Amino acid sequence: MSALRISLFLILFSFALANENPDAHAFPRPLVIEYPENIESRFDDEVRLKCASWRFAGEANNLNPWKTIPAECAGYVKDYMTGKGYESDLLRASEESGVYAKNLELGGDGKDVWVFDVDETLISNLPYYCEHGFGLEVFNSVEFDKWVEKGAAPAIKSSLKLYHEIKRLGFKAFLLTGRSERHREVTVENLKNAGFQDWDKLVLRQPEDHVKSATTYKSEKRSQMVEEGFRIVGNSGDQWSDLLGSSLSQRSFKLPNPMYFIP
């Protein structure tokens, strides 16, 4: 039996030698790392995940103050702002606001107020930011003022629908914006052309307000509303500085905006 095993081994060994490639290297074949064909898409997925996490942190007010979006997120923010994601998130915020408003029992004395921010809340500056990197560039107030003075910002459709619903339900609509008082006329014209009519108050920054943070400025203006006997039952804004501070609304609704941060 052992002679048979040895003979079988010799036959198989001879066969292997006969079929060996004579050009084969004498040394063991080196280890070759073969990357999958979709390595680029996997890298894109990693960047997309990182940027989605960054955007979520911003919307949750978990980021430290920032001046520009991360450079690697420029494509992600562009895709979000010009795609279905941004529109869907805006719609969700407006729909939830409407559900809340419809379930409120108003006081019947004309003192129930819904506060709206203006930019990126009622009207959109997306045409401007399309030309300025979707937040990749440091904010330039001179260039932005030129855009404001065109009075060409379009309505955010879901916010326009909510605005009309708020008015129909009997709320007072107070517009509280960080825009300068010197832009009142063009802002009024822009808002009306975009479909917003019959607001009850439009508050803009006075000269003495420009040294204040947005949080301080808007808190002071809301406090004045409360001192005048109004009840702030709803507040819509794209910045946390629209919503936080003092004299807070009974409920606030944060609209998405990953392009810029205003403290």
Side-chain angles (χ1 to χ4, degrees):
M1 180 64 68
S2 110
L4 179 61
R5 288 180 178 174
I6 293 172
S7 298
L8 181 60
F9 171 79
L10 290 174
I11 293 171
L12 292 174
F13 182 74
S14 300
F15 180 81
L17 289 176
N19 287 276
E20 183 181 6
N21 183 357
D23 296 327
H25 294 288
F27 297 102
R29 177 179 295 182
L31 176 64
V32 177
I33 301 176
E34 297 182 356
Y35 291 99
E37 294 180 359
N38 63 343
I39 183 65
E40 184 175 350
S41 63
R42 288 189 181 182
F43 175 76
D44 288 345
D45 287 344
E46 291 179 4
V47 172
R48 191 176 298 110
L49 180 61
K50 178 181 178 180
C51 294
S53 179
W54 174 84
R55 183 176 68 82
F56 177 83
E59 299 298 355
N61 202 26
N62 289 336
L63 292 178
N64 291 311
W66 52 278
K67 293 184 178 181
T68 63
I69 65 174
E72 64 269 30
C73 296
Y76 170 86
V77 173
K78 175 184 177 181
D79 290 347
Y80 171 76
M81 294 299 300
T82 58
K84 294 182 178 180
Y86 178 54
E87 183 179 354
S88 178
D89 289 345
L90 287 171
L91 181 61
R92 172 65 66 182
S94 294
E95 288 179 343
E96 294 299 328
S97 300
V99 170
Y100 165 73
K102 290 174 185 176
N103 285 283
L104 281 176
E105 184 175 347
L106 303 188
D109 55 1
K111 294 292 186 178
D112 294 296
V113 169
W114 197 291
V115 176
F116 290 96
D117 172 51
V118 172
D119 293 295
E120 269 60 67
T121 299
L122 296 182
I123 56 178
S124 173
N125 297 304
L126 190 54
Y128 170 83
Y129 282 99
C130 284
E131 301 297 324
H132 293 272
F134 297 91
L136 191 59
E137 297 180 11
V138 175
F139 179 72
N140 185 317
S141 61
V142 174
E143 291 300 314
F144 184 73
D145 283 352
K146 291 178 183 178
W147 158 254
V148 168
E149 288 158 7
K150 293 180 180 179
I156 294 175
K157 294 180 180 179
S158 53
S159 294
L160 181 60
K161 182 179 179 180
L162 172 65
Y163 178 86
H164 287 309
E165 182 69 9
I166 290 298
K167 293 294 295 180
R168 186 189 68 80
L169 290 170
F171 293 88
K172 289 281 193 302
F174 286 4
L175 313 188
L176 176 54
T177 174
R179 291 188 175 197
S180 173
E181 177 64 35
R182 67 186 178 88
H183 287 140
R184 177 177 291 275
E185 184 176 346
V186 71
T187 299
V188 167
E189 181 180 1
N190 194 161
L191 285 165
K192 288 183 176 180
N193 289 340
F196 297 94
Q197 308 283 340
D198 303 322
W199 55 80
D200 298 280
K201 185 177 289 190
L202 173 59
V203 183
L204 299 97
R205 281 185 188 261
Q206 302 302 310
E208 63 272 17
D209 294 321
H210 287 283
V211 296
K212 303 171 183 175
S213 69
T215 303
T216 299
Y217 157 68
K218 294 200 169 187
S219 292
E220 290 178 354
K221 298 305 179 184
R222 289 195 303 269
S223 295
Q224 290 176 13
M225 298 172 192
V226 173
E227 290 169 3
E228 293 169 2
F230 292 104
R231 294 180 294 274
I232 304 175
V233 295
N235 188 4
S236 297
D238 68 292
Q239 299 290 315
W240 282 104
S241 53
D242 298 329
L243 312 174
L244 299 179
S246 58
S247 298
L248 301 180
S249 171
Q250 291 181 20
R251 186 168 178 187
S252 297
F253 294 88
K254 171 72 170 65
L255 279 69
N257 183 358
M259 297 186 298
Y260 60 84
F261 170 80
I262 301 176

